[in-house]
C-alpha cells in the first residue's frame, strides 16, 4: 500500500549535479516522472528541446506567466526558468511522484502551493570540485563560472530550509539516497489515504481467526 504521490523538488547550486541525479532517479523508478522546465537560456549543444528543457524566448516566457501556465518561476544567472503547472498535476493525477529539477527560489514557491512537497538539497563534496564541474562544461566563460560560484555561496545557507540534504560525492550513493527518500515518503503515514480502511479490514480478519479458536 503506497501513499499519495507528491512533488519531489531537487535543488542545488549550479554544477552540483542535480539534473543528472534527477534523471537517474527517474530511470530507476517506475513510480517517478520528470517535470521538464521551461527556460529562456540558450540551448547547449548536447541538449534537446522538449527533453532537457522547453527552450523559449522572453516573449514566450512572458505569455506563460500571464496565462498562469507556470507553477513557479525565477531568474537565475540572468535567465528565467519555470515549471509548467500542467506537467506536475498530470503526473500526480497518474499516481506518480513528480521530480522537479529547479533552483532554490523555485523550491520555496512549490512548497507554498504544494505543502506536502518534499524538498531535497544537493551539496557538492567541496568548493574545488564544484569549480571543476562548472569549468568542465566548457560552455561558459570564466566570468560565468565565477558568477555561478558566487551564486552557490549565497544559496548554500538555504539548505537549512529543506527536508533532506544529499552530498553528491559519489554518484551511485547519491542516487541511492534519493531512492531512499522516495521510498520513505511514499510510506509516510500521513499520505496513506486508505489506512483506516486497511486497519479495519485487518482487525476484522484477526477477529475471525480468533473466533475460530474459541
Amino acid at each position: 500500500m503506497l501513499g499519495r504521490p507528491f512533488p519531489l523538488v531537487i535543488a542545488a547550486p549550479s554544477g552540483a549535479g542535480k539534473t543528472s541525479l534527477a534523471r537517474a532517479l527517474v530511470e530507476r523508478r517506475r513510480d517517478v516522472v520528470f517535470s521538464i522546465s521551461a527556460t529562456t537560456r540558450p540551448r547547449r549543444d548536447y541538449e534537446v528541446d522538449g527533453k532537457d528543457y522547453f527552450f523559449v524566448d522572453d516573449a514566450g516566457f512572458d505569455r506563460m506567466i500571464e496565462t498562469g501556465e507556470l507553477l513557479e518561476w525565477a531568474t537565475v544567472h540572468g535567465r528565467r526558468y519555470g515549471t509548467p503547472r500542467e506537467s506536475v498535476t498530470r503526473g500526480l493525477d497518474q499516481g506518480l511522484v513528480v521530480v522537479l529539477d529547479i533552483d532554490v527560489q523555485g523550491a520555496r514557491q512549490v512548497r507554498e502551493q504544494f505543502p506536502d512537497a518534499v524538498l531535497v538539497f544537493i551539496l557538492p563534496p567541496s568548493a574545488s570540485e564544484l569549480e571543476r564541474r562548472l569549468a568542465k562544461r566548457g560552455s561558459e566563460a570564466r566570468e560565468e563560472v565565477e558568477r555561478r560560484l558566487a551564486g552557490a555561496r549565497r544559496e548554500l545557507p538555504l539548505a537549512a530550509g529543506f527536508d533532506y540534504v544529499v552530498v553528491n560525492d559519489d554518484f551511485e550513493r547519491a542516487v541511492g539516497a534519493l531512492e531512499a527518500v522516495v521510498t520513505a515518503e511514499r510510506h509516510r503515514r500521513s499520505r496513506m489515504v486508505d489506512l483506516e480502511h486497511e486497519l479495519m479490514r485487518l482487525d476484522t480478519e484477526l477477529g475471525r481467526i480468533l473466533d475460530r479458536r474459541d
Side-chain angles (χ1 to χ4, degrees):
M1 181 176 67
L2 291 177
R4 288 188 303 268
F6 52 89
L8 178 68
V9 176
I10 301 178
S14 179
K18 71 182 189 310
T19 300
S20 296
L21 290 171
R23 293 200 176 277
L25 177 65
V26 171
E27 290 176 0
R28 298 185 188 192
R29 292 193 62 119
R30 297 177 62 183
D31 62 336
V32 177
V33 66
F34 192 77
S35 172
I36 302 174
S37 298
T39 183
T40 60
R41 77 158 171 76
R43 182 179 65 84
R44 298 185 179 117
D45 291 340
Y46 57 84
E47 292 176 324
V48 177
D49 185 32
K51 178 182 178 183
D52 296 290
Y53 287 95
F54 293 115
F55 294 96
V56 299
D57 57 17
D58 283 312
F61 202 93
D62 287 338
R63 285 194 296 272
M64 296 180 79
I65 295 174
E66 293 167 2
T67 58
E69 293 179 52
L70 297 178
L71 174 64
E72 59 79 29
W73 69 275
T75 300
V76 183
H77 305 301
R79 301 292 184 179
R80 290 186 291 176
Y81 296 79
T83 300
R85 184 185 305 274
E86 194 270 339
S87 65
V88 176
T89 56
R90 182 177 66 248
L92 294 176
D93 288 344
Q94 294 173 349
L96 300 172
V97 173
V98 181
V99 174
L100 283 72
D101 165 21
I102 59 180
D103 71 287
V104 177
Q105 301 174 57
R108 294 197 296 267
Q109 295 179 49
V110 173
R111 171 59 64 77
E112 290 173 0
Q113 299 194 48
F114 289 91
D116 67 334
V118 177
L119 310 186
V120 181
F121 198 97
I122 306 298
L123 286 178
S126 67
S128 59
E129 175 62 15
L130 182 64
E131 180 184 26
R132 187 192 70 80
R133 292 176 185 177
L134 288 170
K136 186 179 179 181
R137 289 177 175 177
S139 60
E140 291 147 359
R142 180 61 197 177
E143 293 83 0
E144 180 65 17
V145 171
E146 292 181 356
R147 187 156 67 112
R148 291 178 183 271
L149 289 173
R153 194 176 186 186
R154 292 190 299 270
E155 293 171 344
L156 288 175
L158 300 178
F162 282 63
D163 302 307
Y164 298 91
V165 174
V166 174
V167 179
N168 186 17
D169 53 351
D170 179 88
F171 188 80
E172 289 300 317
R173 185 162 55 231
V175 176
L178 290 176
E179 288 190 273
V181 168
V182 173
T183 298
E185 290 292 335
R186 294 225 70 168
H187 289 82
R188 184 178 289 275
R189 181 188 55 77
S190 59
R191 299 190 197 279
M192 300 294 179
V193 293
D194 294 325
L195 180 59
E196 184 175 353
H197 178 269
E198 181 68 9
L199 293 175
M200 290 178 62
R201 182 186 66 80
L202 289 170
D203 180 73
T204 299
E205 292 176 359
L206 287 170
R208 290 171 180 166
I209 292 172
L210 293 171
D211 287 344
R212 288 200 305 266
R213 295 181 178 180
D214 293 340

